[in-house]
Amino acid sequence: MTLAPAHVAGAGMIRFGKYPADVTLERMAVGAARAALLDAGADLTQIDACYVGHVFGGPVAGQRIAAQLGLDGLPVSNHENYCASGATALREAWVALAAGLHDVVLIVGVEKMTDRVAGGVRPDPGDLDAAVGYVMAAGHGLSARRYMADHGATREQIAAVAVKNHAHSVHNPFAQYQRPVSIEEVLNARPIAEPLGLLDCSPISDGAAAMVLCTPAGLRRLGLVAPGPRMLGCALVSGSVRPGTGDVNEEDVSRRAAEEAWKLTGIGPEDIDLVEMHDCFTIAEIVRMEGLGLIPRGAGAAWTAAGETSLGGRLPVNPSGGLLSRGHPVGATGVAQACELTWQLRGTAGGRQVEGARVGLSYCKGGTVNGTDGGSVTTLVMSK
Amino acid sequence: MTLAPAHVAGAGMIRFGKYPADVTLERMAVGAARAALLDAGADLTQIDACYVGHVFGGPVAGQRIAAQLGLDGLPVSNHENYCASGATALREAWVALAAGLHDVVLIVGVEKMTDRVAGGVRPDPGDLDAAVGYVMAAGHGLSARRYMADHGATREQIAAVAVKNHAHSVHNPFAQYQRPVSIEEVLNARPIAEPLGLLDCSPISDGAAAMVLCTPAGLRRLGLVAPGPRMLGCALVSGSVRPGTGDVNEEDVSRRAAEEAWKLTGIGPEDIDLVEMHDCFTIAEIVRMEGLGLIPRGAGAAWTAAGETSLGGRLPVNPSGGLLSRGHPVGATGVAQACELTWQLRGTAGGRQVEGARVGLSYCKGGTVNGTDGGSVTTLVMSK
């Protein structure tokens, strides 16, 4: 079944990057929220509720943000689904609008990682896979090796994901990195989990992104006569990443998340004009695009190297620069992806515009349980 | 406006208390979930989604729980609103049912506090009020002093809240404490924040509670011909606890949460037959009941001492024993309150049954920002 779509009245973010300690979580979130409110032409009195996605912000971070923003007396809720936290907050806001509970809602995704995460996100002490060395980067390294073996892909083809995404974000003023990187730079970067090097990995980032979503009545409240893009829905699937076939790249959970998205929105894979993909590692962009059924199995690396997923290609992926180059403040990422879809569908994405974009999909994957299953995948669909 | 109510198909919990380290968060949650599923006569394949409320469980705790329970591929989301986390999860589940997104959902509230919280919940390092000694217990101590000064209440009247709630939970097999305490025991307990002593404070607890909520189509899926109680709705209000009048007991946020609940459910204060109240401290039960408008301002202490809020009294409060005596595993509390309302409205509450109960309200308050504002209050209304 499909629910009523949510109208995007506003989108805003701050530049992702590494901020000093005095730029607090709350300050970043307030900056993004004000940008989204300004974009919507909305003031605080027109907001019905606030949905906040974050992982490391601590208890009632959303309430601290709302208080600093100047909201008082509204429903505020905190949503955590690891790297899919921001997307989950968007999903629950969309559901509340569809139910008729609210008409104008503010969604904020935020993370201050540099204060809390030194070097990388540490695995849970109870994570038995991590205890034997199967940490996140190692898992993606194995995925890359297996992909190369199974599909005859080359290391250069996988590195092309990083080259492409860094090239895209040269045109994104909100990206953490805004300079191109060469294939040699990717190949010669410090090894992290072979064959992957530093530039195959998304960075530790601080940042915030926000949106204002509305019902039709909400659009009228804001005096918006030309409705913006519509969020048609967002699927959420938690479960096994590997279905027990022994193939780390089967991405069964992505396949199911795609099916759910088509069911929830009435959109099909053939309608998708661009994708904001959770490229926490280069190889992840490739296998997840294939898992969604948007690129044939085994063809993703070759497609990337041939420019098919670049701006101007058959199916542009990560025009924003993605997690690899826009940055990855985990709770903010899902909302930043939806901001990018908004700008792309409005046709205001400047030098990184996907020409003629009518329908976009964004994908997040949040968390694993013991490195192998239990993660959450979100697939959000937005149309012009 | 009102949304469609959610039908309560099942409710279950484990006994609250202090569990050893090998009784993990996941194990407790699975125990409560299985009890709720059994009560609903539901099996795992009949569940559409899982909403998990917790504070200290760490990232994707809900996904770890769902995996151990045996769920795979469902939407799982984590909801944090401090001590209102469980109630917030119930609210978002209700909204999703009302929107038509799901038909049968599982809600779990859980907390393993003894592993993580030594002695008491520590204030945030950035909490400036806590830094000068205005910690949670101190705030409630001031509240009690002010209440006594303003309304001529006695220390004994405030202590009567603890005596009443412990007397109630003698009949609650899920309560952490199941023996009566005397007024002398309360008055002579170790001082915590004068005038409040140890028995005026809710304990550190481990525990889990769960519910199965349904649409009418969901009831048919489960083959339930005699629908149980209905959750009419749950308001959520975040904002100032003190409206700036200098009166710590004005409870403006509770007044607003009550107004929202009446608006969302079509129920009025005169309809309420029993209350499950967030009595994290004895005095809190009194001022929050008054803030809701269910007891006249300044009368709560005298009402309590006169037995008006006891079983058999004018308006029974905390027949379960409340946070003071059932215990307070923070993320579980809101769901445990809703379980208690379920059993009361079914008429299956045994020795603690409120005779003729037709409508119940549960109240949670979660978190503060700098000790004074930004908390979330939930008011959930359930009818027979």
Side-chain angles (χ1 to χ4, degrees):
Chain A
M1 69 159 302
T2 61
L3 303 186
H7 295 272
V8 180
M13 58 186 287
I14 61 167
R15 184 177 175 181
F16 286 2
K18 293 183 193 291
Y19 286 97
D22 68 321
V23 180
T24 61
L25 177 94
E26 294 86 347
R27 194 169 148 195
M28 293 194 303
V30 165
R34 286 192 180 138
L37 291 166
L38 188 68
D39 188 44
D43 65 46
L44 292 176
T45 64
Q46 294 174 309
I47 303 297
D48 292 331
C50 187
Y51 293 78
V52 180
H54 67 92
V55 182
F56 301 112
V60 288
Q63 281 76 0
R64 298 197 305 272
I65 292 162
Q68 285 207 15
L69 185 60
L71 291 172
D72 183 42
L74 299 192
V76 178
S77 48
N78 295 278
H79 303 268
E80 186 278 311
N81 261 356
Y82 228 129
C83 303
S85 298
T88 301
L90 282 167
R91 171 178 154 99
E92 313 232 10
W94 159 65
V95 173
L97 294 172
L101 184 67
H102 303 304
D103 286 311
V104 181
V105 298
L106 174 67
I107 300 94
V108 182
V110 62
E111 212 72 61
K112 187 77 197 285
M113 296 189 72
T114 54
D115 285 2
R116 297 182 180 254
V117 180
V121 178
R122 280 162 192 278
D124 190 87
D127 184 336
L128 301 180
D129 285 355
V132 295
Y134 189 66
V135 295
M136 208 189 308
H140 289 278
L142 287 172
S143 161
R145 278 269 178 246
R146 175 72 189 250
Y147 190 92
M148 290 162 68
D150 281 353
H151 305 299
T154 65
R155 171 71 184 102
E156 288 73 13
Q157 287 174 329
I158 292 170
V161 173
V163 175
K164 165 182 71 75
N165 291 350
H166 279 276
H168 287 171
S169 71
V170 167
H171 307 288
N172 185 352
F174 298 112
Q176 182 165 357
Y177 303 112
Q178 299 180 20
R179 70 165 189 85
V181 301
S182 66
I183 191 92
E184 290 73 27
E185 284 178 282
V186 181
L187 296 176
N188 296 326
R190 177 158 65 86
I192 298 295
E194 293 200 88
L196 306 178
L198 189 65
L199 291 175
D200 291 277
C201 312
S202 56
I204 298 294
S205 315
D206 304 323
M211 298 193 83
V212 177
L213 293 180
C214 294
T215 62
L219 286 176
R220 288 193 293 277
R221 183 191 299 170
L222 300 181
L224 295 174
V225 286
R230 293 169 304 145
M231 174 179 159
L232 300 182
C234 180
L236 170 60
V237 171
S238 297
S240 298
V241 175
R242 299 182 302 186
T245 64
D247 181 352
V248 72
N249 291 326
E250 186 160 325
E251 282 289 326
D252 187 56
V253 71
S254 298
R255 180 188 59 72
R256 288 184 284 174
E259 281 169 11
E260 280 298 308
W262 313 146
K263 220 185 297 177
L264 274 177
T265 65
I267 290 288
E270 66 285 357
D271 300 317
I272 304 296
D273 297 317
L274 78 149
V275 175
E276 280 288 308
M277 171 46 72
H278 204 81
D279 57 330
C280 50
F281 295 84
T282 46
I283 185 65
E285 176 175 305
I286 293 169
V287 297
R288 290 168 184 173
M289 287 298 294
E290 296 179 7
L292 289 174
L294 294 173
I295 296 181
R297 188 81 200 276
W303 273 42
T304 307
E308 299 285 21
T309 58
S310 297
L311 282 170
R314 199 181 329 186
L315 178 58
V317 178
N318 282 323
S320 69
L323 283 59
L324 285 169
S325 195
R326 179 184 50 212
H328 183 31
V330 291
T333 284
V335 184
Q337 290 176 333
C339 287
E340 181 68 15
L341 292 185
T342 300
W343 296 320
Q344 291 286 347
L345 296 170
R346 284 178 180 167
T348 61
R352 65 187 193 282
Q353 180 66 46
V354 176
E355 290 307 322
R358 299 188 58 82
V359 179
L361 179 142
S362 61
Y363 173 113
C364 283
K365 176 162 185 311
T368 55
V369 175
N370 279 339
T372 53
D373 59 12
S376 280
V377 168
T378 53
T379 40
L380 184 153
V381 178
M382 204 184 282
S383 81
K384 196 164 177 171
Chain B
M1 68 160 302
T2 60
L3 303 186
H7 294 272
V8 180
M13 57 188 287
I14 62 167
R15 184 176 175 181
F16 286 1
K18 293 182 194 292
Y19 285 98
D22 68 321
V23 180
T24 61
L25 176 94
E26 294 85 348
R27 193 170 150 194
M28 294 195 301
V30 165
R34 287 194 179 136
L37 290 165
L38 188 68
D39 188 44
D43 66 46
L44 291 175
T45 65
Q46 294 174 309
I47 303 296
D48 293 331
C50 187
Y51 293 78
V52 179
H54 67 91
V55 182
F56 302 111
V60 288
Q63 280 77 357
R64 297 198 305 271
I65 292 162
Q68 285 208 12
L69 186 60
L71 291 172
D72 183 41
L74 299 190
V76 178
S77 48
N78 295 278
H79 302 268
E80 186 277 311
N81 261 356
Y82 229 130
C83 303
S85 297
T88 301
L90 281 167
R91 171 178 154 96
E92 313 232 11
W94 158 66
V95 173
L97 294 171
L101 184 67
H102 303 305
D103 286 311
V104 182
V105 298
L106 174 67
I107 301 95
V108 182
V110 61
E111 211 74 60
K112 187 78 198 283
M113 296 189 72
T114 54
D115 284 2
R116 298 181 180 253
V117 180
V121 178
R122 280 162 193 277
D124 190 86
D127 183 336
L128 301 179
D129 285 356
V132 295
Y134 189 67
V135 294
M136 207 189 306
H140 288 279
L142 287 172
S143 161
R145 278 271 178 246
R146 176 70 189 252
Y147 190 93
M148 290 162 69
D150 281 354
H151 305 299
T154 65
R155 172 70 185 103
E156 287 73 15
Q157 288 173 329
I158 292 169
V161 173
V163 174
K164 164 181 72 74
N165 291 351
H166 280 276
H168 287 171
S169 70
V170 167
H171 308 288
N172 185 352
F174 299 110
Q176 182 165 357
Y177 303 112
Q178 300 180 20
R179 69 164 190 87
V181 301
S182 66
I183 191 91
E184 289 73 27
E185 283 178 283
V186 181
L187 297 176
N188 296 328
R190 177 158 63 87
I192 298 293
E194 294 202 83
L196 305 178
L198 188 65
L199 291 175
D200 291 278
C201 311
S202 55
I204 298 294
S205 315
D206 303 324
M211 297 192 82
V212 177
L213 294 180
C214 295
T215 62
L219 286 176
R220 288 192 294 277
R221 182 191 299 170
L222 300 182
L224 295 173
V225 287
R230 293 169 304 146
M231 174 180 160
L232 301 182
C234 179
L236 170 61
V237 172
S238 297
S240 298
V241 176
R242 299 184 301 187
T245 63
D247 182 352
V248 73
N249 291 326
E250 186 158 326
E251 282 289 325
D252 187 56
V253 70
S254 297
R255 179 188 58 73
R256 288 184 285 175
E259 282 170 10
E260 281 297 307
W262 314 146
K263 221 186 294 177
L264 274 178
T265 64
I267 291 289
E270 65 285 357
D271 300 316
I272 303 297
D273 297 318
L274 78 149
V275 175
E276 280 288 307
M277 170 47 71
H278 204 81
D279 57 329
C280 48
F281 294 85
T282 47
I283 185 65
E285 175 174 308
I286 294 169
V287 298
R288 289 167 184 172
M289 286 298 296
E290 297 180 7
L292 289 173
L294 294 174
I295 296 181
R297 187 82 201 276
W303 273 43
T304 307
E308 300 285 20
T309 58
S310 297
L311 281 169
R314 196 178 335 184
L315 177 59
V317 178
N318 283 323
S320 69
L323 283 59
L324 286 169
S325 194
R326 179 183 52 211
H328 183 31
V330 292
T333 284
V335 184
Q337 289 176 333
C339 287
E340 180 69 16
L341 293 185
T342 300
W343 296 320
Q344 291 287 345
L345 296 171
R346 284 178 180 169
T348 61
R352 64 188 194 282
Q353 179 66 46
V354 176
E355 290 308 321
R358 301 188 57 82
V359 179
L361 179 141
S362 62
Y363 173 112
C364 282
K365 175 162 185 309
T368 55
V369 175
N370 279 338
T372 54
D373 59 12
S376 279
V377 169
T378 52
T379 40
L380 183 153
V381 178
M382 203 182 284
S383 80
K384 198 165 177 172

